[in-house]
Amino acid sequence: MSAYDAVYNQLYNLPTPNTVHFGESGAEIIRPARGFVDGFDLTMQTQVGCPAGCLFCYVPSGSRLTPPAMRGEMGENWGFEVRRKREVLSRFAAHLKADELADKVIYWSGVTDPYASPAAETRAIWELLIAAPVVQRPRRLIVQTRFRPDRDAERIAAYAHSTSPRDNGPAVVVSYSIGTDHDELIRAWERATPLFGQRMKAIESLRRAGIAVIPTLSPFGLWNDLVGALEQFRAWGIPYITHLFFKRDTESANTPSRFISYLDREYPMLLDPHWQREQTRLMQSVYSPSRVLFGKGAFASLAAPQRVA
Ligand code: SF4
């Protein structure tokens, strides 16, 4: 039994599904960013559900975030039911052409990882953006991922470097999730995501291409060498970091209760406010306190990261 299967079994008392079931959806790919913090205009998702299958993911615990079939009664379907949206590229092109994205801040995406989508699709989205007249381009695209956006580094850079938002911030920001440097935790908690070394490689490649990256240490797990990772981020010219501890009983985006119970049993320090404060202090020993952002303020900063930087 794999480490992931063992945790899945502890959470749901079920065997892990054998396969990911892919279906289709006619749902819109772009929606107004209702309920988000100020600064975001639109959200974009090219699929419903997320094949990464992170067992801590907050999405299945929010009944309005995803349809019941994607999550199952307990959250047991999350990661194993995915619907790819139809005509993603023609719809995106139509939104661009209709000037609906012009000067907008777009979050791509908090409820399904954009880089868990087919490579041909993300590549084509950047190509459509590159081909769009400057006046039709968004002010900012915030790519939220824990996969390998560096597969598109050349195209993202070509787009970002040919676009000058009127608020003088970057045209593209990659908010890169990297919550632990323990590969065994990544293997146990995330079904299909890159390990730590690959994530560092992704960040490095993006930075070498001149793309703005804000690492988000989220959800914050155990670290062998937290200071070493942050020093590396600084060496890559990353201006600040964000972080989010596992969350229970807060207003939004709570960690699923079954995963919280598992942490209580296996890794109680991750929920301990005293331990969390120590970790924050450690982060602040590398980045100054004003550059270690947390929670809602951290998320809001992505809409205009130049204000922090
Ligand atoms: S990659 Fe993100 S959206 Fe997808 S399951 Fe993991 S935490 Fe959730």
Side-chain angles (χ1 to χ4, degrees), residues 147-206:
F147 277 83
R148 295 297 298 262
D150 50 321
R151 73 189 187 202
D152 287 335
E154 226 173 273
R155 287 175 184 81
I156 300 173
Y159 171 72
H161 297 153
S162 62
T163 309
S164 304
R166 64 187 172 89
D167 65 359
N168 296 321
V172 179
V173 180
V174 177
S175 172
Y176 197 90
S177 301
I178 183 160
T180 176
D181 61 358
H182 286 247
D183 281 343
E184 70 275 17
L185 290 185
I186 297 175
R187 286 197 185 96
W189 296 351
E190 306 177 23
R191 194 189 59 80
T193 57
L195 298 178
F196 175 72
Q198 295 173 303
R199 293 191 200 196
M200 291 298 273
K201 185 88 198 123
I203 296 174
E204 181 181 17
S205 304
L206 294 166

Side-chain angles (χ1 to χ4, degrees), residues 50 52-54 56-57 78 110-113 146-147:
C50 181
C54 305
F56 51 70
C57 182
W78 185 249
V111 293
T112 180
D113 195 301
R146 59 184 68 236
F147 277 83

Side-chain angles (χ1 to χ4, degrees), residues 64-106:
R64 281 175 306 161
L65 295 175
T66 195
M70 299 292 109
R71 54 178 196 270
E73 217 168 279
M74 303 178 283
E76 75 279 12
N77 288 358
W78 185 249
F80 298 94
E81 288 289 337
V82 178
R83 294 180 190 154
R84 294 210 166 116
K85 294 188 182 175
R86 284 189 285 272
E87 295 161 8
V88 165
L89 300 177
S90 58
R91 288 183 196 205
F92 186 73
H95 285 299
L96 269 171
K97 203 168 169 200
D99 284 338
E100 289 163 3
L101 311 186
D103 199 32
K104 295 286 195 278
V105 177
I106 305 174

